[in-house]
Amino acid sequence: MPTGSNRTDHDAVLKEFYLPGARTVLNNEIFLLTQMEQNTEDIEGREAVLDINIGRSQGIGSRAELADLPAAGAQVHVNQRVKLKYHYGRIQLSGQIIRDTASDSGSFTRAVQSETTGVVRDLKNDVARQCYGDGTGVIGTASGAKTGQTFPMAGASAQTLAQLGIGMVIDIGSAAATPADIADGVVITAINRTTKVITVSGTIGTVANGSRISRNGAGGTGATQSELTGLKAQVAASGALFSIDPATNPDWASYVKTSAGAVSEDMFTEVDQEVNMASGEQIDLWITTSAVHRGVASLLQADKRFPGTNELRGGYTGLDMSSVSQGMTGANTTSMVYDKDMTETGCAYGISTNRFACYSGSDWEFMQEDGAILNRVPNKDAYEATLFAYKEIATDGRNAHGKIEGITTS
């Protein structure tokens, strides 16, 4: 006689069926991570270990016949220990759902599917957002004072507003080091995407122009940083990265072209050449917004050049920029893509992908150290499961990348 499914069966459904699907989505649909080498070897404990070459040997020089040889020199290396960041997705099922579907594993599977696919999609979007941030968790900033429970975000792009949603729990802070001193755990109740006004419920202090909005509990800097160290922090001309400051180690700086103006081939060629002169590398991937991507495509077509596409890792394709960014040298293949999660208006990042890696202390897994994936929620008739991964992205050559800011398109 058939018997009803039990919690062990439900654990198996999550582990054997949904986990592979979640891994496929999270590993293959976060674009920037698919373009980086996955490094699981250079991990010690909860840290990634990077060997960074920050100085060249000066034991070189030309001499006259029989003159003394140059004094011996050496490459300057530093080992940097970069803390992994911890990423989570939780689902919860009431005891009633589990009991109501105890004799119908198909019904339970549908309930799990709804929760699992939803949290995987949302976690994917959040990690993709982090790839382009500065690590402090900031999604956007207020543009003025609050009125009651509302505040404006006039400078936010459509992509930025899309990263906020009804029911999202957020913090509001006055600085990177104080991400929740204005509001801690308030809930977004309305978003006017036309007027760019946000309404929240909960206790909220004095909001001003520049107040920083982040996901609840995810903001912070330095020892309190929780999110990935995204491109905004890694590809920069100033500011310390992994405890190395270009103010004292000038080779530890990306080339950044500011106030670039109208989109042109020359701006991409300039950055590519500056990167090559500084690092010996050549940019092989440009990542930008949809507006800049359209502007480049239109520019090439206006010059009677109809760009093809290049195949990238993960099944993606990109606009062929090989002749543009390298000034017609064709030394290697260069592609341009746009990513919906890139929210910096008028910006393009030029990446040497071989100098970036995604360091992983764990792939996407369900917590099951106690032997069960589904665990009781204290004081509730409910069970929950938690999906997690320990990952961080890092470059071992900051000067191998470049950035263009202030690109204007018609």
Side-chain angles (χ1 to χ4, degrees):
M1 181 175 180
T3 58
S5 59
N6 54 39
R7 187 153 63 102
T8 301
D9 297 330
H10 300 159
D11 281 343
V13 167
L14 282 164
K15 183 176 180 179
E16 297 174 11
F17 183 71
Y18 290 108
L19 184 54
R23 282 179 176 163
T24 298
V25 170
L26 291 164
N27 288 336
N28 297 339
E29 294 189 20
I30 302 174
F31 171 74
L32 187 59
L33 299 189
T34 66
Q35 306 308 303
M36 298 178 179
E37 293 293 337
Q38 304 300 303
N39 188 321
T40 60
E41 296 180 358
D42 297 321
I43 305 292
E44 293 183 7
R46 294 172 292 175
E47 298 176 321
V49 182
L50 281 68
D51 178 22
I52 298 176
N53 184 190
I54 60 168
R56 301 171 180 174
S57 171
Q58 298 305 320
I60 57 177
S62 302
R63 294 291 189 271
E65 184 179 5
L66 298 180
D68 291 340
L69 297 176
Q75 297 293 315
V76 181
H77 290 261
V78 294
N79 283 336
Q80 287 296 317
R81 307 182 73 86
V82 179
K83 290 187 179 298
L84 298 176
K85 303 304 183 292
Y86 312 136
H87 315 284
Y88 302 94
R90 293 173 64 186
I91 64 171
Q92 188 175 116
L93 299 166
S94 71
Q96 288 81 0
I97 288 177
I98 292 176
R99 289 171 180 79
D100 289 347
T101 60
S103 60
D104 184 351
S105 61
S107 294
F108 178 80
T109 299
R110 288 191 291 274
V112 173
Q113 182 181 34
S114 175
E115 293 298 327
T116 305
T117 56
V119 77
V120 167
R121 176 197 64 223
D122 299 336
L123 180 58
K124 178 198 73 173
N125 289 339
D126 196 59
V127 174
R129 170 190 63 79
Q130 294 179 35
C131 287
Y132 299 104
D134 62 2
T136 65
V138 173
I139 298 174
T141 57
S143 60
K146 70 181 179 73
T147 302
Q149 295 296 114
T150 69
F151 58 87
M153 294 182 64
S157 65
Q159 292 95 326
T160 296
L161 292 174
Q163 293 174 346
L164 302 173
I166 306 299
M168 183 175 176
V169 185
I170 62 170
D171 296 334
I172 305 175
S174 58
T178 53
D181 60 335
I182 297 173
D184 185 353
V186 296
V187 180
I188 296 177
T189 58
I191 302 174
N192 189 319
R193 301 188 189 278
T194 301
T195 62
K196 301 183 180 181
V197 172
I198 308 297
T199 304
V200 300
S201 64
T203 303
I204 181 171
T206 302
V207 176
N209 182 33
S211 295
R212 304 156 66 91
I213 292 90
S214 58
R215 188 176 291 277
N216 177 236
T221 185
T224 63
Q225 179 185 339
S226 298
E227 294 196 348
L228 291 173
T229 307
L231 293 190
K232 193 171 184 179
Q234 303 230 20
V235 183
S238 61
L241 176 67
F242 309 143
S243 302
I244 305 174
D245 195 332
T248 53
N249 293 283
D251 287 340
W252 192 242
S254 303
Y255 183 78
V256 178
K257 180 177 178 61
T258 60
S259 305
V263 64
S264 68
E265 293 185 30
D266 181 69
M267 63 177 60
F268 294 97
T269 303
E270 175 186 335
V271 175
D272 185 83
Q273 291 175 342
E274 292 289 344
V275 165
N276 180 248
M277 288 187 286
S279 68
E281 302 286 355
Q282 285 193 304
I283 290 169
D284 59 0
L285 179 64
W286 285 97
I287 307 174
T288 188
T289 63
S290 57
V292 173
H293 188 276
R294 291 194 303 271
V296 172
S298 297
L299 176 67
L300 298 181
Q301 290 174 8
D303 292 338
K304 305 301 182 185
R305 293 158 59 188
F306 299 95
T309 57
N310 297 325
E311 292 187 6
L312 302 172
R313 295 176 183 172
Y316 294 92
T317 60
L319 186 70
D320 188 356
M321 291 279 287
S322 302
S323 63
V324 175
S325 65
Q326 298 168 51
M328 302 296 286
T329 65
N332 72 314
T333 299
T334 306
S335 304
M336 172 180 280
V337 299
Y338 77 88
D339 194 332
K340 67 178 179 59
D341 296 296
M342 241 277 284
T343 61
E344 290 183 79
T345 302
C347 171
Y349 286 100
I351 305 299
S352 299
T353 55
N354 64 311
R355 302 304 296 273
F356 259 113
C358 176
Y359 294 87
S360 180
S362 76
D363 203 350
W364 300 97
E365 305 172 30
F366 281 114
M367 287 184 176
Q368 51 178 326
E369 293 300 320
D370 59 356
I373 294 175
L374 281 171
N375 294 282
R376 269 287 309 275
V377 178
N379 301 317
K380 292 185 181 297
D381 183 6
Y383 292 83
E384 68 177 10
T386 304
L387 187 66
F388 73 96
Y390 303 158
K391 295 179 182 290
E392 173 64 300
I393 59 176
T395 181
D396 64 355
R398 202 181 194 186
N399 62 358
H401 320 291
K403 182 180 181 182
I404 306 176
E405 299 176 340
I407 303 172
T408 58
T409 56
S410 56

